[in-house]
């Protein structure tokens, strides 16, 4: 499983409440700060029902928001995962969510 797929486990705001730049990935889905290819973190392709048709969108976020939301997703995952809640090493999803959290706010880190 890729890191992008693990990031897709992070809950997002309702796409209907987002601005066009947020839906297009030009702005953070949480705080709406403008993004570029160096600052954006890919949150993985998502599907949404648009008037009876399923369409894909590609949300992105800024480092500070990614760090906060990856931490929350990792904490929730760890609490509910039999492997991650009891011992090290964590399961693959736990490792990747924690890695995404650790890299999210470091300039120049692989996204």
């Amino acid at each position: 499983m890729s890191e992008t797929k693990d990031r897709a486990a992070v809950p997002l705001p309702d796409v209907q409440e987002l601005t066009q730049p947020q839906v297009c990935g030009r702005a953070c889905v949480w705080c709406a700060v403008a993004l570029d290819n160096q600052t954006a973190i890919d949150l993985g392709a998502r599907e949404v029902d648009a008037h009876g048709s399923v369409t894909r969108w590609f949300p992105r976020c800024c480092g500070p928001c990614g760090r906060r939301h990856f931490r929350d997703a990792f904490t929730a995952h760890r609490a509910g995962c039999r492997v991650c809640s009891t011992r090290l090493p964590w399961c693959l999803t736990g490792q990747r969510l924690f890695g995404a959290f650790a890299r999210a706010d470091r300039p120049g880190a692989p996204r």
Side-chain angles (χ1 to χ4, degrees), residues 35-86:
L35 300 171
D36 60 36
N37 287 337
Q38 301 226 329
T39 61
I41 298 172
D42 179 12
L43 296 172
R46 307 292 175 111
E47 292 184 350
V48 64
D49 182 350
H51 309 289
S53 296
V54 175
T55 187
R56 294 178 68 156
W57 67 295
F58 301 88
R60 302 192 311 170
C61 71
C62 65
C65 286
R67 186 168 175 81
R68 181 173 57 254
H69 289 276
F70 294 148
R71 179 195 63 218
D72 293 348
F74 170 71
T75 301
H77 168 79
R78 189 170 177 216
C81 176
R82 286 187 294 152
V83 174
C84 294
S85 65
T86 58

